Amino acid sequence: MLKENQDAFGRAMYDYYASGMKATHLEEVVERDDGYVDTAGGPAIYFREYRHWLPEEKKAMRYARGRVLDVGCGAGRHSLYLQGKGLDVVGIDNSPLAIEVCKQRGLKNTEVLPLSRISSKLGIFDTVIMMGNNFGLFGSYKSAKRLLKKLAGITSKNGRIIATTNDVYRTDNPDHLKYHEMNRKRGRMSGQIRLRVRYQKYTTPWLDYLMVSREEMEDILAETDWRVRKYFDFDRPMYAVVIEKKK
Amino acid sequence: MLKENQDAFGRAMYDYYASGMKATHLEEVVERDDGYVDTAGGPAIYFREYRHWLPEEKKAMRYARGRVLDVGCGAGRHSLYLQGKGLDVVGIDNSPLAIEVCKQRGLKNTEVLPLSRISSKLGIFDTVIMMGNNFGLFGSYKSAKRLLKKLAGITSKNGRIIATTNDVYRTDNPDHLKYHEMNRKRGRMSGQIRLRVRYQKYTTPWLDYLMVSREEMEDILAETDWRVRKYFDFDRPMYAVVIEKKK
């Protein structure tokens, strides 16, 4: 769980929500461990309503069914949509303020919890969603394998995972390409981005956020209980994947 | 002069200009030395045309006459306006890419030069403008006094300085108020902000940017060749000042 002074993106979401979702100047900053900084466009995206989602996101979301675990639920846009459809949804996030926003917006079941701490205490799920590039929360090749095993243990026989990720190889930004190369040299996956989020005086700890190509996705799933069922390509270097249990 | 990898705000301006002034995601980040980060709203403001300036900015600009030195000219919005009015303007900035943008936009006289390096080689000026909070470039109480002396030496008998600054005391942001207190404790002016600008992989050196109340302004001018002629209060915690030579 993030401490109060670490809850950078939660604080940005909270401030944006408290402004009546009007403030445009409240932007979190993403700092990569090579010193590259980027702004993420502000928290508005975490509140985007279904009708403004990308078409592929909508398509992927149709695969959600039964009891749903939303990992890194943020301001709860996916959870609230599915809850509105009548599904039983649990939203978890390691940001206390993100969860506070979810509660205020009407999400019934929430817990302040990072992916690494999930357990059977949450019950059994039919669908795990990791939207908004949250495949990244798997962190690294090794921890993805470990966490996929954990997820297998808390999902039903026909359980599935719906996730989105950037395909990091689809860029021509020389700074990004150089960073990928640095990663490979230090024995990390190209898209294993070491970053921290900053907002005003709030700074998250450094964390690994993993973005993978389709091939790498399948390499990670090999020798796990999971396999790819379907991909959805976005009109940008990003895709959604529906992962299901091997029969 | 900023080195290539230090030219954060110049690069942001350059990229914005190269996008046909359309890109909205190119934002520089301001990092204060207490770890507080803020986004500045992007480079668009540096390109704002006269008709979109704040009324007080327009009023202050009417005091420009004769030969003009624009200190920290950025993308040249003030310089280009005054040049268009027929004035003889020299724009200086320590950012090579800011000056490149000014040239491409048609500013005739430019030099890559920080305020600290100005000299009589530039000739004599009737007006020195330091707009867009560029009073801040004076840096500190001591260096303001030193640089005001230097400016007195390169201005005509009726020379004036037109500057804008934030009044740092007009805030209720507890993080800012705490920072002011820290500054006073370490023997600095409350509004002597130690910061660096970051944009993608570009990071300026740490620099002191000075923001003062009216009283502090007059305290700085005391025992110099300069005095306040007129203030213009903005509808925000900011004001313009016209400074003239003592008779």
Side-chain angles (χ1 to χ4, degrees):
Chain A
M1 189 202 302
L2 295 174
K3 292 177 197 156
E4 198 260 349
N5 64 358
Q6 297 177 325
D7 197 357
F9 53 89
R11 177 63 62 174
M13 282 181 214
Y14 188 85
D15 287 354
Y16 176 75
Y17 188 62
S19 81
M21 303 203 271
K22 282 175 188 157
T24 56
H25 62 288
L26 307 169
E27 254 188 303
E28 72 272 35
V29 173
V30 177
E31 183 182 13
R32 204 166 59 187
D33 67 339
D34 63 342
Y36 190 95
V37 295
D38 211 347
T39 52
I45 192 172
Y46 306 123
F47 293 83
R48 198 168 283 170
E49 282 179 44
Y50 181 78
R51 65 178 188 279
H52 295 127
W53 294 4
L54 296 170
E56 298 76 16
E57 201 173 10
K58 291 180 179 176
K59 278 181 202 161
M61 212 42 20
R62 281 190 213 137
Y63 283 77
R65 60 175 182 190
R67 193 157 179 264
V68 178
L69 177 66
D70 185 354
V71 175
C73 60
R77 63 188 176 115
H78 300 99
S79 280
L80 288 163
Y81 168 72
L82 294 174
Q83 181 178 280
K85 286 286 202 186
L87 276 65
D88 180 13
V89 184
V90 178
I92 64 168
D93 205 294
N94 71 339
S95 157
L97 283 174
I99 292 299
E100 177 58 30
V101 169
C102 285
K103 282 182 184 169
Q104 291 188 18
R105 297 179 78 205
L107 190 59
K108 289 176 202 158
N109 305 307
T110 58
E111 198 150 334
V112 180
L113 200 71
L115 174 58
S116 60
R117 301 276 305 279
I118 52 166
S119 73
S120 54
K121 281 181 199 161
L122 292 166
I124 298 296
F125 296 93
D126 302 297
T127 310
V128 176
I129 64 170
M130 303 173 77
M131 303 302 285
N133 278 339
N134 272 349
F135 185 86
L137 297 175
F138 279 133
S140 71
Y141 185 86
K142 266 194 184 172
S143 73
K145 293 238 183 219
R146 189 177 63 243
L147 291 163
L148 282 163
K149 193 170 180 177
K150 233 174 163 180
L151 287 178
I154 64 161
T155 42
S156 55
K157 209 182 71 178
N158 294 314
R160 43 175 73 147
I161 301 168
I162 309 170
T164 57
T165 181
N166 277 328
D167 181 346
V168 283
Y169 297 98
R170 289 172 59 195
T171 181
D172 52 9
N173 181 321
D175 298 324
H176 295 343
L177 293 171
K178 203 183 288 173
Y179 184 76
H180 300 165
E181 199 187 324
M182 183 178 97
N183 264 347
R184 290 190 293 270
K185 275 186 186 153
R186 55 184 179 170
R188 297 156 66 90
M189 294 190 80
S190 303
Q192 187 178 340
I193 316 293
R194 194 152 181 78
L195 60 83
R196 56 183 187 177
V197 180
R198 303 180 65 171
Y199 171 71
Q200 295 179 357
K201 67 176 179 180
Y202 306 91
T203 308
T204 66
W206 289 99
L207 59 95
D208 281 345
Y209 202 74
L210 183 63
M211 304 203 270
V212 297
S213 68
R214 285 181 178 210
E215 278 180 8
E216 290 171 335
M217 170 75 71
E218 286 165 30
D219 192 22
I220 285 171
L221 295 183
E223 294 158 44
T224 71
D225 299 312
W226 303 95
R227 67 174 173 203
V228 170
R229 166 149 174 198
K230 203 168 170 42
Y231 290 113
F232 297 97
D233 274 320
F234 287 55
D235 66 347
R236 58 201 71 187
M238 188 178 170
Y239 62 95
V241 61
V242 179
I243 296 168
E244 62 180 10
K245 280 193 172 165
K246 289 173 186 163
K247 307 294 171 189
Chain B
M1 187 203 301
L2 294 175
K3 292 177 197 155
E4 198 261 348
N5 63 357
Q6 297 177 325
D7 196 356
F9 51 90
R11 176 64 61 171
M13 282 181 213
Y14 187 85
D15 286 354
Y16 177 75
Y17 188 62
S19 80
M21 303 203 272
K22 282 174 188 159
T24 56
H25 62 288
L26 307 170
E27 253 188 302
E28 72 272 34
V29 172
V30 178
E31 182 181 13
R32 204 166 59 188
D33 68 338
D34 63 342
Y36 190 96
V37 295
D38 212 347
T39 52
I45 192 172
Y46 307 123
F47 294 83
R48 198 169 280 171
E49 282 179 44
Y50 181 78
R51 66 178 189 280
H52 294 127
W53 294 4
L54 297 169
E56 298 77 15
E57 201 174 9
K58 291 180 179 176
K59 280 181 202 163
M61 212 43 19
R62 281 190 212 134
Y63 284 76
R65 59 177 184 191
R67 191 158 180 266
V68 178
L69 177 66
D70 185 355
V71 175
C73 60
R77 64 190 176 113
H78 301 100
S79 280
L80 287 163
Y81 168 73
L82 295 173
Q83 181 178 279
K85 288 285 204 188
L87 276 66
D88 180 13
V89 184
V90 179
I92 65 169
D93 205 294
N94 72 340
S95 158
L97 282 174
I99 292 299
E100 176 59 29
V101 168
C102 285
K103 283 181 183 170
Q104 290 188 19
R105 297 179 79 205
L107 190 60
K108 289 176 201 156
N109 305 308
T110 58
E111 199 150 333
V112 181
L113 201 70
L115 174 58
S116 60
R117 301 276 304 279
I118 52 166
S119 75
S120 56
K121 281 183 199 160
L122 292 166
I124 298 296
F125 296 93
D126 302 296
T127 309
V128 176
I129 64 170
M130 303 173 79
M131 304 302 286
N133 279 336
N134 271 349
F135 185 87
L137 297 175
F138 279 133
S140 71
Y141 185 87
K142 267 194 181 173
S143 72
K145 293 237 183 221
R146 189 177 65 242
L147 291 163
L148 282 162
K149 194 169 179 180
K150 232 174 166 180
L151 286 178
I154 63 161
T155 42
S156 56
K157 209 182 70 178
N158 294 313
R160 43 175 73 147
I161 300 168
I162 309 170
T164 57
T165 181
N166 276 330
D167 181 347
V168 283
Y169 297 98
R170 289 172 59 197
T171 181
D172 53 9
N173 181 323
D175 298 324
H176 295 343
L177 293 170
K178 203 182 291 174
Y179 185 77
H180 299 165
E181 200 188 322
M182 182 178 96
N183 264 346
R184 290 190 293 272
K185 275 186 186 155
R186 54 182 179 172
R188 297 157 66 91
M189 295 189 79
S190 302
Q192 188 179 337
I193 316 293
R194 193 151 183 78
L195 61 84
R196 59 181 184 176
V197 180
R198 302 179 67 172
Y199 171 71
Q200 295 180 355
K201 66 177 180 181
Y202 307 91
T203 308
T204 66
W206 288 99
L207 59 95
D208 280 345
Y209 202 75
L210 184 63
M211 305 203 268
V212 297
S213 68
R214 285 179 178 211
E215 279 181 8
E216 290 171 335
M217 169 76 70
E218 285 165 32
D219 192 22
I220 285 170
L221 296 183
E223 294 157 47
T224 71
D225 301 313
W226 303 95
R227 67 174 172 203
V228 170
R229 166 146 172 203
K230 202 166 171 44
Y231 290 112
F232 298 96
D233 274 318
F234 288 54
D235 66 348
R236 56 200 73 189
M238 187 177 170
Y239 62 94
V241 62
V242 179
I243 297 167
E244 63 181 11
K245 279 190 172 166
K246 288 172 187 162
K247 309 290 169 188

